[in-house]
Amino acid sequence: MSTISITRNSSQVSRKGPEQFFAGSVRIDPLFERNDPSHISAAYVTFEPGSRSAWHTHPLGQALIVTAGKGWVQRWGDKAQEIGPGDVVWIPPGQKHWHGASPTTGMTHLAIQEAVDGKNVEWLEKVSDEQYVGAVRETTMVERKSGQLPATSIGDDVRTVAPALEKYLQGPVAEVWKRPALSARDRSLVTVAALIARNQAVELPRYMNLALDNGVKPSEISEIITHLAFYSGLPNAMSAVATAKDVFGRRGIGPDQLPPASPPLLPLDEAAEAQRAASVQEQFGVVAPGIVQYTTDVLFRELWLRPGLAPRDRSLVTVSALIASGQVAQVPYHLNRAMDNGLTRAEAAEVITHLAFYAGWPSAFSALPVAKDVFEKRAQ
């Protein structure tokens, strides 16, 4: 005669998700195996950020109940879908799919499935880094374009501390990201540069992730940090390095996606560089010959010629950092250089508009007379 059976929590042994079936760090906490006549088994599965299952199928389907964190599920041929706590996912029998954590947040779900002839899963090939990042990025971009994901996430702390700030975040701040004069990718470059220049470590992870979602390459973020070490200072760059290390780690971004330390450099405009160097030498050569020499040798004959960041984007980052840090005296040269490198007048104006929200109105208005003067002189 059958009796009630209790399996004590302390008797269950956690195990690591096998590497041949999972990518990243995954922990499986079994709950119960099938007991005849039932053919159902269940387990809690915890995915660290960026971790996921391989592609697989279930003969009688599978139910997932998300209990914590944020993750993704994707059926072969469909777009990935985001899932969170309380969501119940049903995968039909025989459907090729994967599920796992988001790039930045882990996820735990309860997995329930039935077996046929003692087998409840058929493992297939792994989900590559390209498939994972591509699926998450594609879905995120579609949702953002449709207005489902605001550019700035609103946390409970904002709501409970400053409800008026929440209103503005949901209104003009979200709206500025949709203005057509500057692409979402360019806005990400501007924002990341401003945050690094101002050493805003709390907000930087969010906007680095947004930049990657908006099409900024990991190699370009690496170059931005290197570039701003010279334009915002080494301490600010080192702070950004710590943030990027965590963001890259959570998204599975490895050294193979970063620029080499000493790549072949872009061609140098010898005439323009000679003119710039002569002007600086004449003004400051007797004052600080060391910085004049480093400016020539390190900045303009090497840093600005690194191919990991397009000249226009390098100029865009520089102008953004200078405005954000209030260094308006340096803006005329670099804004002219940016426009020579392809930044349009409308885009330059929009950079200042965008920075009003991320560096403050005083910084933006301090840059306006400088930009006006540059625009007027270039129109002559």
Side-chain angles (χ1 to χ4, degrees):
M1 185 175 180
S2 298
T3 61
I4 292 175
S5 172
I6 299 176
T7 303
R8 300 297 178 186
N9 184 44
S10 59
S11 68
Q12 302 285 59
V13 178
S14 299
R15 65 178 186 270
K16 181 180 178 181
E19 291 185 3
Q20 64 266 41
F21 304 142
F22 296 92
S25 179
V26 180
R27 187 183 77 246
I28 300 173
D29 294 294
L31 294 175
F32 59 86
E33 298 295 332
R34 57 191 180 87
N35 292 301
D36 290 334
S38 170
H39 297 278
I40 301 175
S41 61
Y44 282 116
V45 185
T46 300
F47 298 86
E48 291 299 313
S51 302
R52 65 273 186 184
S53 71
W55 292 101
H56 60 286
T57 65
H58 299 280
L60 293 178
Q62 183 184 51
L64 305 175
I65 304 171
V66 183
T67 60
K70 185 172 76 171
W72 297 84
V73 62
Q74 182 182 24
R75 191 184 75 146
W76 183 266
D78 291 347
K79 294 185 183 300
Q81 299 184 69
E82 188 178 42
I83 51 178
D87 289 346
V88 179
V89 181
W90 168 246
I91 296 104
Q95 295 296 310
K96 183 177 178 179
H97 69 286
W98 67 268
H99 35 96
S102 79
T104 58
T105 306
M107 178 188 68
T108 298
H109 64 51
L110 172 63
I112 306 171
Q113 52 279 314
E114 286 189 85
V116 174
D117 296 328
K119 191 171 185 177
N120 60 21
V121 61
E122 177 71 30
W123 290 106
L124 305 169
E125 73 274 15
K126 279 191 171 184
V127 177
S128 68
D129 291 344
E130 292 76 12
Q131 287 176 319
Y132 173 74
V133 173
V136 173
R137 177 181 296 164
E138 179 184 16
T139 302
T140 301
M141 289 298 291
V142 168
E143 291 177 343
R144 184 175 292 115
K145 288 175 182 177
S146 68
Q148 297 177 29
L149 289 179
T152 304
S153 60
I154 312 301
D156 290 338
D157 50 351
V158 176
R159 188 172 297 111
T160 56
V161 172
L165 177 58
E166 179 190 13
K167 179 187 75 171
Y168 293 124
L169 289 172
Q170 292 176 330
V173 176
E175 291 166 4
V176 77
W177 281 84
K178 301 175 184 178
R179 288 172 59 87
L182 207 60
S183 70
R185 178 184 177 278
D186 282 348
R187 291 186 187 278
S188 284
L189 292 175
V190 170
T191 308
V192 168
L195 294 176
I196 293 175
R198 297 168 66 89
N199 201 15
Q200 300 293 324
V202 172
E203 288 291 276
L204 189 54
R206 176 193 303 174
Y207 285 101
M208 273 193 182
N209 275 299
L210 181 60
L212 292 165
D213 291 340
N214 282 339
V216 179
K217 299 176 183 177
S219 60
E220 292 172 325
I221 288 180
S222 175
E223 282 293 328
I224 291 170
I225 295 172
T226 301
H227 188 84
L228 291 183
F230 294 90
Y231 284 88
S232 297
L234 283 170
N236 286 6
M238 294 306 294
S239 178
V241 164
T243 298
K245 178 183 177 183
D246 183 61
V247 170
F248 287 0
R250 291 175 182 273
R251 296 179 77 116
I253 295 169
D256 60 313
Q257 298 182 59
L258 304 181
S262 301
L265 300 178
L266 298 173
L268 175 67
D269 185 336
E270 294 283 358
E273 171 52 21
Q275 183 179 5
R276 183 211 61 79
S279 175
V280 174
Q281 175 65 34
E282 181 180 354
Q283 293 181 72
F284 307 115
V286 298
V287 179
I291 190 172
V292 170
Q293 194 62 49
Y294 282 128
T295 301
T296 295
D297 295 344
V298 180
L299 268 67
F300 288 99
R301 287 187 173 270
E302 184 169 333
L303 181 71
W304 277 86
L305 302 179
R306 291 178 59 83
L309 200 60
R312 173 195 176 276
D313 294 345
R314 200 175 285 278
S315 286
L316 178 61
V317 165
T318 306
V319 170
S320 300
L322 292 174
I323 294 174
S325 55
Q327 302 294 330
V328 293
Q330 296 293 311
V331 169
Y333 172 80
H334 285 287
L335 181 54
N336 271 298
R337 188 182 181 98
M339 297 179 77
D340 289 343
N341 284 334
L343 190 72
T344 68
R345 175 173 172 167
E347 290 171 334
E350 194 65 22
V351 168
I352 300 174
T353 302
H354 189 90
L355 285 173
F357 289 96
Y358 288 91
W361 249 247
S363 294
F365 264 82
S366 294
L368 285 176
V370 177
K372 179 184 177 186
D373 185 60
V374 170
F375 295 162
E376 289 175 348
K377 287 180 177 178
R378 291 181 70 92
Q380 294 174 359

